[in-house]
Amino acid sequence: MNAHTKIPDFQMDLHKNPVPEAERNRLMESLGFGKVFTDHMITIRWTAEEGWHDAKVTARKPLEIDPASAVLHYAQEIFEGMKAYRADDGRILLFRPEQNARRFNLSAERMAMPTMPEELFVKAVETLVSVDKAWVPSGDASLYLRPFMFANEAFLGVRPSNEYLFCIIASPVGAYFKGGSKAVTLWVETHFTRAANGGTGAAKCGGNYAASLVAQAEAYKHQCDQVVFLDAAEHRYIEELGGMNVFFVMTDGTIVTPPLKGTILPGITRSSVIDLARDRGMKVEERPYTFEEWQKDATSGRLQECFACGTAAVLAGIGTVKHEGGEFKIGHGETGDFTTALREQLVGIQKGASNDERGWSHVVSL
Ligand SMILES: *Cc1c(COP(=O)(O)O)cnc(C)c1O
């Protein structure tokens, strides 16, 4: 076994003054998304000579990085998003964490970064959840986990960095959208695109988000919650939202979702939804779907409901779609029954309440 595949042990340097219980409970009473953070974080370093090493649990604190650190200049950075759920029986559960580990490595390869053994990724996540277990909320809230990695070599030349820092932080979260299960309104972006063929659309990298923000600002300007991007080549095909995949549910039992061709992010929620929809006898088509078809299907009534999905929001019904030429509603403009049922099933599996036939739930040993 060489230095690059060895799984290091975590050095435990726990917080001297963690947030007191009463204050923590107060913070957990009104959770938004990503505003409150737990006491600890994980860091693991990588260098070309030593591979992964210096794995630590420490108090969550500002990072000290050199102003020449490569990430600040050339944006070599990737991340993951996953959640820990508290089951009613007290167990703490992760949802398909090995899928996040695998996708993290695919993102790393695309961004010319080192990969991490999947066991190390999952062990790091479990270690942080275990140390900060008091921060895993019960009920509908959960602990959002944000593993990320960035190029940390102080060097301004343009090439893949020789040093990286992997880090995980955690944040107890409530609903992603302020309106709760109310259907969201989307803005169809016909000018700016998110990802092109051969680009980084399938990698979960910060750069994709940087490129999406101006369109997201456009969406807010039009009183929309989120932006939906069209393909970069023809500006015709629906791709995805800034951070969520999208599904179209037809009245004839067919579900359409854009295919994974390298320009959209392969969502773990997306893949789980496809499996659960097929279990329910739906015909799922992963195929290109144009904005024109969408408008036509919504108008003719062939389209029954639409939803966006991702770890943060789970499933969010899409009620209204606005674009430069006007707007249209999906069904009655509310979250549909299929979306609600699938959301409940998925949340049930994630929280250990419904039947987990595929073994998606992963119990964290505390
Ligand atoms: C993370 C992400 C998703 C959703 O992926 P999940 O694994 O379902 O959370 C969708 N689109 C983009 C652009 C993303 O970054």
Side-chain angles (χ1 to χ4, degrees):
M1 198 187 274
N2 67 36
H4 298 258
T5 57
K6 207 175 88 206
I7 307 292
D9 280 326
F10 286 83
Q11 182 195 322
M12 306 293 257
D13 182 8
L14 298 188
H15 206 306
K16 303 284 185 294
N17 299 298
V19 174
E21 188 180 351
E23 169 71 356
R24 188 177 64 233
N25 290 340
R26 192 190 61 77
L27 287 169
M28 303 243 285
E29 258 164 34
S30 58
L31 292 168
F33 185 86
K35 288 188 290 200
V36 172
F37 296 96
T38 64
D39 293 309
H40 296 92
M41 66 181 191
I42 298 267
T43 53
I44 315 178
R45 293 185 181 277
W46 186 93
T47 57
E49 304 79 55
E50 288 188 81
W52 292 108
H53 66 285
D54 198 16
K56 276 194 250 190
V57 178
T58 64
R60 201 185 82 87
K61 57 176 187 264
L63 299 168
E64 199 166 90
I65 60 175
D66 193 284
S69 179
V71 66
L72 300 178
H73 305 274
Y74 310 124
Q76 215 190 349
E77 189 268 355
I78 60 171
F79 65 93
E80 271 302 323
M82 53 207 292
K83 282 174 172 173
Y85 309 84
R86 189 178 293 277
D88 290 338
D89 61 11
R91 289 177 307 160
I92 294 181
L93 307 170
L94 295 169
F95 183 70
R96 310 183 75 182
E98 72 295 339
Q99 295 293 320
N100 295 94
R102 187 166 309 161
R103 184 171 67 191
F104 189 71
N105 283 337
L106 293 174
S107 300
E109 278 168 5
R110 177 61 185 84
M111 302 298 285
M113 299 167 95
T115 58
M116 168 176 273
E118 286 180 22
E119 315 88 86
L120 176 56
F121 181 96
V122 175
K123 185 178 165 186
V125 169
E126 286 193 286
T127 302
L128 183 61
V129 171
S130 175
V131 166
D132 280 335
K133 56 179 176 283
W135 291 92
V136 181
S138 48
D140 293 335
S142 55
L143 183 65
Y144 184 79
L145 297 152
R146 170 53 60 85
F148 60 103
M149 165 166 65
F150 61 89
N152 196 27
E153 184 182 353
F155 178 60
L156 293 182
V158 179
R159 59 146 169 76
S161 172
N162 281 322
E163 288 175 35
Y164 295 87
L165 185 67
F166 171 85
C167 187
I168 312 178
I169 53 173
S171 167
V173 297
Y176 187 73
F177 291 112
K178 290 190 194 83
S181 63
K182 206 176 126 248
V184 298
T185 300
L186 299 188
W187 172 252
V188 181
E189 178 56 60
T190 45
H191 176 61
F192 298 112
T193 59
R194 178 187 166 274
N197 278 333
T200 58
K204 210 167 172 73
C205 61
N208 289 341
Y209 280 74
S212 77
L213 296 178
V214 60
Q216 182 64 46
E218 220 24 55
Y220 290 146
K221 220 182 336 180
H222 291 91
Q223 283 84 47
C224 294
D225 300 292
Q226 283 274 319
V227 58
V228 57
F229 287 98
L230 302 179
D231 74 290
E234 299 183 53
H235 297 252
R236 286 180 63 207
Y237 298 98
I238 308 294
E239 296 252 294
E240 62 169 319
L241 277 53
M244 275 183 271
N245 296 116
V246 61
F247 282 80
F248 307 90
V249 185
M250 307 298 171
T251 44
D252 66 1
T254 308
I255 299 188
V256 177
T257 194
L260 301 179
K261 283 196 181 151
T263 55
I264 68 171
L265 206 284
I268 296 162
T269 316
R270 175 187 182 279
S271 138
S272 309
V273 161
I274 291 175
D275 287 347
L276 296 179
R278 284 187 177 142
D279 288 350
R280 287 169 180 257
M282 308 287 284
K283 184 163 165 272
V284 182
E285 296 177 354
E286 294 179 67
R287 67 162 174 93
Y289 188 68
T290 62
F291 177 39
E292 209 184 320
E293 266 183 284
W294 191 11
Q295 284 174 280
K296 220 171 62 203
D297 289 340
T299 311
S300 75
R302 177 169 185 255
L303 182 64
Q304 184 178 305
E305 44 193 283
C306 282
F307 62 86
C309 68
T311 297
V314 199
L315 266 66
I318 298 166
T320 306
V321 181
K322 297 188 187 179
H323 54 101
E324 232 153 45
E327 64 176 83
F328 59 92
K329 278 205 187 323
I330 314 291
H332 300 296
E334 282 143 31
T335 300
D337 293 341
F338 181 81
T339 303
T340 303
L342 213 63
R343 181 191 162 91
E344 276 169 14
Q345 185 183 4
L346 194 55
V347 169
I349 296 170
Q350 290 168 336
K351 294 211 18 107
S354 15
N355 209 353
D356 178 23
E357 282 170 26
R358 291 184 174 79
W360 282 342
S361 251
H362 176 107
V363 182
V364 177
S365 44
L366 300 169

